[in-house]
Amino acid sequence: MSLLRFKMVDAAINHRAVEVNVPDGRPSDYFAEKVFNRAAMRKYLDRKTFAILLETMEKRAPLPFEVADSVAAGMRQWAMEHGADHYTHWFQPLTGGTAEKHDFFAEPDGEGSVLEEFSGKLLVQQESDASSFPNGGIRNTFEARGYSAWDPSSPAFIVDTTLCIPTVFIAYTGEALDYKVPLLRSLTAINRAATEVCHYFDKNVQRVDTYLGWEQEYFLVDESLWAVRPDLMLTGRTLMGHESAKNQQLEDHYFGAIPTRVISFMRDLEYECLKLGIPVKTRHNEVAPNQFELAPVYEEANLANDHNQLLMTIMDKIARRHEFRVLLHEKPFKGINGSGKHNNWSLGTDTGVNLMGPGKTPTENLQFITFLVNVISAVYKYNGLLKASIVSATNAHRLGANEAPPAIISAFLGSQISGVLDKLAVDRDDDDIRFDAKNVFKMSGISHMPPLFRDNTDRNRTSPFAFTGNRFEFRAGGSSDNCAEPMIVLNSIVAAELTQFKKEVDEMIEGGMKRERAIYKKLKQMINACRAIRFDGNGYSDEWRREAERRGLDCENSTPLVLDRYLDERTVEMFSSMGVFSRVELEARAEVKWETYTKKIQIEARVLGDLTMNHIVPIASRYEAMLLDKVYKMSQIPGLNAQSDIELIKKIQNHTAQIQRMSDELVEARKKANPIEDQRQKAIAYHDTVAVLFDEIRYHVDKLEEIIDDQIWPLPKYRELLFLR
């Protein structure tokens, strides 16, 4: 095994970058060439069909079934001209990834040949085995039927030779079994609620859209090294491994020069993304070694989410082409930064107004403050639920570590916005709300530098939910997460808050109060009521945790217990009233989340047990035997002192004994937890009795790594994994 390790390390060091076949033309020449977008629709659909489909896409109008055949015919012609020979309904089950089943366009004609066919029926709806995907008990194993149904608001696209049609996935009984259905429902809910509130300020607003800009962080490791780390292969993270002497402490990787192999991978990835209409914009080194980030331009939330799911699939494919492996685990390496997926969220009207941005007039600013206060009030009321939307077995390792925000939800607004809210909470109702324009300042002592513009807020990297000038950035999401989960919760709670706000303001207006005075009065109440969620300080400090507890914020950090928030009666009522989740759907999702947590910890426990007992302990025993032989031989020569070797043997013996003892405890803990039938109780047992042993076992393994001869250590070390050439 050690010889193989050294061969793999040598292969990784001497690897050359793969040549990238990116065309010389401008990105605009090939952007979205693999997408059945409006330009393609206009070309391949008749005028009437195109107009009806456009109405469905833009105004969410129902698509008449009789139009589906015309759309399918045009889509098939376009797809085949672009090299496609199969089609699939592409959906997002509760596995966290995507699913697809490919069907051939060709159908037998009964005369010994085939015809290329693709009907409206096949486009609009297909059947899948709903019991084979996570469903939380909604489907029994003998009740298999489920349906995937076309989502016309997200365009079809081609991957390799397959036409992919974005779809929802529902049970035979109608419940959602995916992320897209509740996401679309939440978008409908916030559109309805926000539009009604907008009418206080502008009667011309007909629609409010939700926008999402995700920032995808990830690690790359050489495939040859990944292949000899069973823990990376099977769990996505290193379950053992001593820190490298140099990691990120010099802060020299962040925004540094991108390694040649990596830039080759990035160019290839960007090319594939642009062809699929994913508007990638930014690439850079992240803080940790081998960690990078990719971010696109903002898009409508449903499309942005589809694009992120598609990206994660493409990344893996392109990485293998370059003999890398992408690690999307939130904490693949101990002692350095983990990977998140920041969700930048905002609302915009069909009249072109960003509701999350200060305006130029008092009315526009009152509208902005109205929406901002409703958002932070919703986050305050449902801070535990918002945390539940991003907790997992993998993200639990990242939250509160290095640059990840703590597992306590708070909102950062910045000094100027906070000052406006504090002033509004005590001042008269008829005072205008004003914001300072961006401050202009010059660099002293550098005459040739142009003026710089200072934003009206700074940034707080320890805040989970930060206002950053014209949007909120929810930074707690994990790298492997489906963005839909936090978006569903955020959209729903804000929609519920806006609905309640509108109801109470209307009641005051009906009682004879002027509209602006009623809005001011309600905002004052909300600002004072949700003050506890606002925190602009250091979220990592022990003082903040004590303060957060005093404020009544949700400070629970056990993942299985945090997931209880999905089933709080207030949560069930809120989701039901917004039309996003039924009680049955929430119970099913909680069941799936508990089961997924248990299975991930269970897999890690098995892998850890295998590595310790079949790899580490035998190697330690071999090295111990070598030292014992040395000590024996030294004892045959008078005057030689073998005491230091004896002390080393004692250390190895102690660490080995501890590993064996705790590995046995790990097995026993699993044996006690496995028979538990209730998924929640089982997840709690795995959290409290199984996962707690991981770090203790790791401690002793990592100590052995420091002691045992490097020539026989079986696993690639951090210094080998973390520094690509």
Side-chain angles (χ1 to χ4, degrees):
M1 185 68 175
S2 60
L3 178 60
L4 176 60
R5 169 189 155 214
F6 282 108
K7 285 183 177 179
M8 296 299 99
V9 171
D10 183 65
I13 291 173
N14 294 298
H15 191 285
R16 293 186 177 182
V18 174
E19 291 294 326
V20 182
N21 186 27
V22 177
D24 295 330
R26 300 175 180 177
S28 57
D29 295 335
Y30 52 83
F31 181 75
E33 68 176 28
K34 295 291 187 179
V35 182
F36 193 62
N37 55 16
R38 295 187 187 189
M41 293 174 191
R42 188 177 289 108
K43 180 178 179 181
Y44 288 89
L45 302 179
D46 62 73
R47 184 176 299 179
K48 180 180 178 182
T49 301
F50 174 68
I52 294 174
L53 184 54
L54 206 60
E55 182 84 0
T56 296
M57 294 171 61
E58 292 183 347
K59 299 183 179 180
R60 307 297 191 263
L63 182 73
F65 195 81
E66 58 271 16
V67 176
D69 278 333
S70 297
V71 176
M75 192 182 290
R76 177 184 61 81
Q77 182 183 353
W78 168 80
M80 294 185 69
E81 289 181 9
H82 285 76
D85 51 27
H86 283 72
Y87 64 91
T88 183
H89 274 199
W90 182 83
F91 57 97
Q92 302 170 31
L94 299 180
T95 57
T98 57
E100 51 196 65
K101 173 178 68 73
H102 297 193
D103 286 301
F104 211 15
F105 276 128
E107 292 281 351
D109 63 359
E111 299 179 1
S113 186
V114 294
L115 294 172
E116 284 80 17
E117 291 185 353
F118 182 54
S119 67
K121 181 179 179 181
L122 294 175
L123 167 64
V124 170
Q125 178 180 319
Q126 287 194 2
E127 182 182 331
S128 187
D129 188 343
S131 65
S132 296
F133 292 98
N135 59 73
I138 289 178
R139 298 269 77 194
N140 293 309
T141 54
F142 60 87
E143 295 175 328
R145 200 182 299 275
Y147 299 110
S148 55
W150 178 35
D151 171 19
S153 64
S154 185
F157 53 90
I158 296 172
V159 174
D160 297 326
T161 60
T162 302
L163 171 66
C164 300
I165 303 157
T167 59
V168 300
F169 184 45
I170 60 173
Y172 179 74
T173 45
E175 292 89 1
L177 296 177
D178 69 346
Y179 288 99
K180 184 179 273 284
V181 168
L183 176 61
L184 293 173
R185 290 172 179 169
S186 74
L187 294 172
T188 298
I190 198 166
N191 169 39
R192 180 174 58 245
T195 299
E196 291 184 357
V197 172
C198 280
H199 287 166
Y200 285 141
F201 310 97
D202 184 357
K203 295 291 185 181
N204 296 317
V205 174
Q206 298 299 311
R207 189 182 73 252
V208 172
D209 291 319
T210 304
Y211 293 94
L212 168 63
W214 41 263
E215 302 170 26
Q216 180 70 60
E217 295 176 344
Y218 61 96
F219 280 85
L220 289 176
V221 294
D222 189 274
E223 188 170 41
S224 58
L225 299 178
W226 173 89
V228 288
R229 288 285 313 214
D231 48 357
L232 276 181
M233 290 177 63
L234 299 177
T235 73
R237 77 180 181 107
T238 53
L239 298 174
M240 55 189 65
H242 195 276
E243 288 186 32
S244 171
K246 178 184 182 296
N247 48 49
Q248 67 184 48
Q249 68 266 48
L250 294 179
E251 301 175 340
D252 56 346
H253 190 259
Y254 189 53
F255 279 21
I258 301 172
T260 303
R261 282 184 66 191
V262 177
I263 201 69
S264 179
F265 157 78
M266 287 179 168
R267 290 184 63 208
D268 204 352
L269 175 61
E270 289 170 345
Y271 174 55
E272 295 298 329
C273 286
L274 291 171
K275 288 195 299 181
L276 288 164
I278 305 174
V280 291
K281 179 71 173 178
T282 302
R283 67 188 186 198
H284 62 81
N285 287 2
E286 257 299 335
V287 173
N290 281 20
Q291 188 186 34
F292 309 95
E293 181 179 297
L294 175 69
V297 176
Y298 283 48
E299 298 179 282
E300 185 275 324
N302 180 41
L303 180 59
N305 188 64
D306 281 0
H307 278 166
N308 185 249
Q309 289 297 110
L310 179 57
L311 170 84
M312 291 192 286
T313 302
I314 298 169
M315 288 177 77
D316 183 66
K317 183 186 303 182
I318 303 300
R320 295 187 190 204
R321 185 186 301 170
H322 291 259
E323 298 184 22
F324 285 131
R325 287 291 177 146
V326 171
L327 303 181
L328 293 177
H329 193 288
E330 283 70 21
K331 196 73 171 179
F333 301 103
K334 185 179 180 181
I336 61 175
N337 277 19
S339 293
K341 179 148 52 191
H342 302 176
N343 286 248
N344 294 279
W345 175 89
S346 64
L347 300 172
T349 70
D350 58 344
T351 59
V353 175
N354 177 6
L355 297 173
M356 293 292 105
K360 297 179 180 179
T361 68
T363 298
E364 289 175 348
N365 284 331
L366 179 57
Q367 178 176 258
F368 160 65
I369 288 295
T370 295
F371 278 90
L372 180 131
V373 170
N374 273 273
V375 170
I376 61 174
S377 179
V379 171
Y380 169 63
K381 291 179 180 178
Y382 294 95
N383 66 94
L385 177 62
L386 198 58
K387 178 165 63 176
S389 73
I390 52 85
V391 296
S392 65
T394 54
N395 206 20
H397 296 287
R398 165 182 167 265
L399 294 177
N402 296 85
E403 285 203 359
I408 302 171
I409 302 299
S410 62
F412 168 82
L413 301 180
S415 58
Q416 184 178 162
I417 303 295
S418 291
V420 169
L421 295 189
D422 292 340
K423 187 172 184 294
L424 181 62
V426 297
D427 280 3
R428 295 180 303 164
D429 298 339
D430 56 353
D431 281 354
D432 289 343
I433 300 174
R434 301 180 185 277
F435 294 94
D436 294 335
K438 288 187 178 181
N439 297 322
V440 179
F441 64 99
K442 294 184 178 181
M443 298 286 287
S444 61
I446 308 177
S447 60
H448 66 277
M449 291 294 293
L452 302 178
F453 295 90
R454 181 186 287 116
D455 289 291
N456 57 22
T457 66
D458 200 350
R459 291 184 182 271
N460 186 328
R461 308 190 77 168
T462 70
S463 174
F465 194 78
F467 182 70
T468 57
N470 58 5
R471 63 191 182 276
F472 278 97
E473 182 180 16
F474 188 29
R475 302 183 67 248
S479 176
S480 63
D481 284 354
N482 188 316
C483 297
E485 188 75 25
M487 290 296 99
I488 291 165
V489 170
L490 186 55
N491 292 341
S492 300
I493 63 177
V494 173
E497 193 68 10
L498 288 169
T499 300
Q500 183 64 25
F501 173 84
K502 177 76 163 49
K503 178 177 179 291
E504 294 186 24
V505 170
D506 282 352
E507 288 174 354
M508 286 187 277
I509 294 173
E510 290 168 3
M513 189 179 295
K514 290 184 177 181
R515 183 188 62 195
E516 282 197 0
R517 180 175 174 79
I519 292 172
Y520 272 110
K521 183 175 181 179
K522 181 56 185 172
L523 289 177
K524 285 182 179 182
Q525 294 172 0
M526 296 170 72
I527 291 169
N528 287 311
C530 71
R531 191 178 296 273
I533 200 67
R534 291 162 48 193
F535 178 67
D536 290 357
N538 180 8
Y540 291 157
S541 68
D542 292 336
E543 291 80 8
W544 164 236
R545 181 175 182 85
R546 292 192 291 269
E547 173 65 15
E549 290 176 348
R550 188 188 67 78
R551 294 186 184 190
L553 301 182
D554 193 316
C555 297
E556 180 60 62
N557 57 16
S558 164
T559 295
L561 295 181
V562 171
L563 293 174
D564 286 343
R565 309 300 178 261
Y566 273 104
L567 299 181
D568 291 344
E569 278 304 314
R570 185 179 64 163
T571 297
V572 174
E573 183 180 347
M574 180 275 296
F575 276 128
S576 177
S577 66
M578 292 297 102
V580 175
F581 283 125
S582 66
R583 181 183 293 273
V584 170
E585 289 172 324
L586 284 171
E587 290 172 345
R589 278 162 200 269
E591 192 87 354
V592 168
K593 289 176 182 293
W594 283 316
E595 185 177 7
T596 300
Y597 177 87
T598 297
K599 287 179 177 178
K600 287 190 175 182
I601 301 299
Q602 187 179 67
I603 291 169
E604 288 192 349
R606 288 174 174 171
V607 172
L608 183 59
D610 170 64
L611 282 174
T612 54
M613 301 309 297
N614 295 323
H615 295 71
I616 305 304
V617 169
I619 288 295
S621 298
R622 185 192 306 177
Y623 189 58
E624 186 179 23
M626 292 167 61
L627 291 175
L628 284 168
D629 183 61
K630 177 185 176 184
V631 168
Y632 173 76
K633 290 176 179 177
M634 289 177 70
S635 68
Q636 306 305 306
I637 303 175
L640 292 182
N641 186 349
Q643 189 58 39
S644 61
D645 292 292
I646 293 172
E647 292 301 320
L648 201 57
I649 291 169
K650 288 180 179 179
K651 287 182 180 180
I652 294 172
Q653 179 61 35
N654 174 60
H655 291 308
T656 303
Q658 293 294 338
I659 290 170
Q660 290 174 310
R661 177 184 63 79
M662 286 187 287
S663 294
D664 289 341
E665 288 182 19
L666 193 64
V667 172
E668 290 303 312
R670 283 168 41 212
K671 285 181 179 179
K672 290 180 180 178
N674 286 339
I676 301 174
E677 294 185 2
D678 182 88
Q679 290 297 340
R680 178 179 179 274
Q681 292 302 322
K682 190 172 184 178
I684 292 172
Y686 261 85
H687 176 274
D688 293 349
T689 65
V690 178
V692 292
L693 295 172
F694 290 177
D695 283 344
E696 294 183 45
I697 294 173
R698 177 177 191 147
Y699 170 80
H700 293 284
V701 173
D702 291 355
K703 286 296 182 182
L704 286 176
E705 183 182 320
E706 288 187 289
I707 297 171
I708 292 174
D709 185 354
D710 185 65
Q711 298 295 315
I712 65 172
W713 188 255
L715 304 175
K717 298 182 177 182
Y718 272 28
R719 67 168 187 263
E720 297 158 349
L721 288 165
L722 283 173
F723 296 95
L724 292 168
R725 298 294 185 269

